Each structure stands twice: as C-alpha cells, then as structure tokens.
Amino acid sequence: ELLHIEGVIKREEETYKIVEAALQKITGQTVSSNLSIQHYIDELCNCFESIIAQMPGYIYWKDANFRYIFCNNAVAYSLGFKHSKDIRGKTDYDFGWNTDVVDKYRLLDEEIIKTGQARIGFEETVVENDGKSLHLIVNKMPLFSKDGTVIGIIGVDVDISDRKEADELKLENEKHKIYAEEQEKFRTIVGQMAHDIRSPLST
C-alpha cells in the first residue's frame, strides 16, 4: 500500500512538472508550484483567449456540429455581444440572420467538415446588427485532431470595406475623368465644325 501511494505521489509530481514546464514554455510565466491542475489549465486557456481576443480581423472556430467554441472581440462586437464567451454554443441560426444566407454558410461548413479541404480567399458581404455592410475576404479551414479527424472549422476573415470603398471611389473618379475627356473632345469637334462652316460663309 505504501509503495502504491509513493507511486501515485511520484506520478503526480511528474505531472505537475510537465504542466508547469508547458505553462512556462507557452506563456513565458512561472507560477507557484503545486497549484491545482485546473489552475494551470485556466492559465493556458486565458493566455490563448487573450491573444486571440486582441487579434485584428474576425477570428472564430466552430465544433463539428457547427456550434461556436470561441471568437475574438471583433466577431463578438459585430454580433452585438459584449464578450466573446457570449457566443459559445450558438450557431449561425441564432443571430437573426436571413435564413437563406445562413443556409449557404451551413452548406459551405458541411463541405469543409466532410472533405477536410479549406476554402481560402473568397469575398463575401455581410450585414452587421447595426445595419452596416462589411466586405470580407473569408478563409475557412478544417480543424484537425491529433489523429487527423476533422473536429471543427476555424475561420479568419479580413475586413476589406475600406479598400472596397476606395476602389469604388477610384472607379467613379475614372468614370468622371473619362466623361470629362469625352466632353472636351466633343467640344473640340463641335468648335472645329463651327469654324469650318463659318469660314466659307464669311467668304
């Protein structure tokens, strides 16, 4: 019995050493020894969540049943939530979006889960809860377990609304420029015609 207890203690000590080393390697911080395993797990989760929460763009991931597991602050705010944790367990059908649009999202997600193939760099326009339209470059990738099973989807979307507006403004300016040049050509031709007609009349 004593040997069994010593073996358990030894395994626990080795477990703590592994977890403490992992925490220090990943987060760069050293914590007090012999805290609960849950404390170490919470520290790791908090580190990853803090990093992701502050990332630019829209970052999120879903499980294999298309429920949101986590997202960064940008996604949460765009959906009208104060914190990223508020969307956990929800699906795209829970945000009041147009059903046809959500059906399209679901079909794409199902394809990614089924095939394990990513969909990268396609454009999409979405409407936020405040009615503002966003133009996004959407990237959706399968999330794999260690054994290669697809266990979810990770999404990284980049807002290109400013670029889109700049391109549209540039295009509009080019149209005005072309129109002005055509008008100038027209005036030149009409002026020449008027001159050509006046000359013989004057003679």
Side-chain angles (χ1 to χ4, degrees):
E1 190 174 337
L2 285 173
L3 287 172
H4 173 71
I5 292 171
E6 287 176 357
V8 171
I9 292 173
K10 185 177 181 180
R11 286 195 297 272
E12 286 184 353
E13 289 176 348
E14 289 174 352
T15 301
Y16 276 112
K17 287 179 181 178
I18 291 170
V19 175
E20 287 171 8
L23 182 63
Q24 185 171 10
K25 182 179 180 181
I26 294 170
T27 68
Q29 63 175 317
T30 303
V31 297
S32 302
S33 299
N34 297 328
L35 298 172
S36 69
I37 294 296
Q38 186 61 51
H39 180 87
Y40 294 117
I41 293 172
D42 290 343
E43 287 289 343
L44 284 170
C45 290
N46 181 66
C47 176
F48 287 125
E49 290 177 0
S50 297
I51 292 170
I52 293 166
Q54 302 304 323
M55 283 184 172
Y58 298 85
I59 300 170
Y60 53 91
W61 66 88
K62 308 173 185 178
D63 63 19
N65 294 313
F66 314 108
R67 293 188 298 260
Y68 282 88
I69 302 299
F70 195 69
C71 68
N72 66 347
N73 290 336
V75 173
Y77 299 155
S78 71
L79 296 174
F81 295 101
K82 292 182 178 180
H83 197 280
S84 57
K85 293 179 180 178
D86 296 331
I87 77 161
R88 284 181 178 169
K90 298 183 185 297
T91 71
D92 291 326
Y93 289 100
D94 296 320
F95 302 130
W97 295 337
N98 182 288
T99 305
D100 293 336
V101 173
V102 180
D103 288 343
K104 186 179 72 171
Y105 294 163
R106 176 58 61 86
L107 285 173
L108 178 59
D109 289 352
E110 288 175 349
E111 179 187 340
I112 293 171
I113 291 289
K114 183 179 178 180
T115 64
Q117 299 295 316
R119 289 290 303 277
I120 304 293
F122 61 95
E123 287 192 30
E124 197 170 80
T125 300
V126 298
V127 179
E128 293 186 302
N129 283 5
D130 60 3
K132 180 183 177 183
S133 293
L134 291 178
H135 300 284
L136 303 172
I137 293 292
V138 179
N139 304 281
K140 286 188 174 184
M141 294 77 65
L143 190 61
F144 295 98
S145 65
K146 190 175 181 179
D147 65 3
T149 303
V150 179
I151 58 173
I153 296 170
I154 183 167
V156 180
D157 301 345
V158 180
D159 186 358
I160 59 167
S161 300
D162 291 343
R163 188 201 312 171
K164 203 79 171 175
E165 290 174 6
D167 289 344
E168 289 174 358
L169 182 60
K170 182 180 178 181
L171 183 61
E172 193 65 27
N173 288 338
E174 288 177 354
K175 286 181 180 178
H176 284 301
K177 183 179 178 181
I178 292 171
Y179 178 76
E181 289 174 352
E182 292 295 329
Q183 288 290 94
E184 183 61 30
K185 288 179 183 178
F186 180 74
R187 283 194 292 269
T188 301
I189 293 170
V190 170
Q192 186 62 45
M193 288 175 63
H195 178 269
D196 293 343
I197 292 171
R198 280 198 303 270
S199 294
L201 289 175
S202 299
T203 303

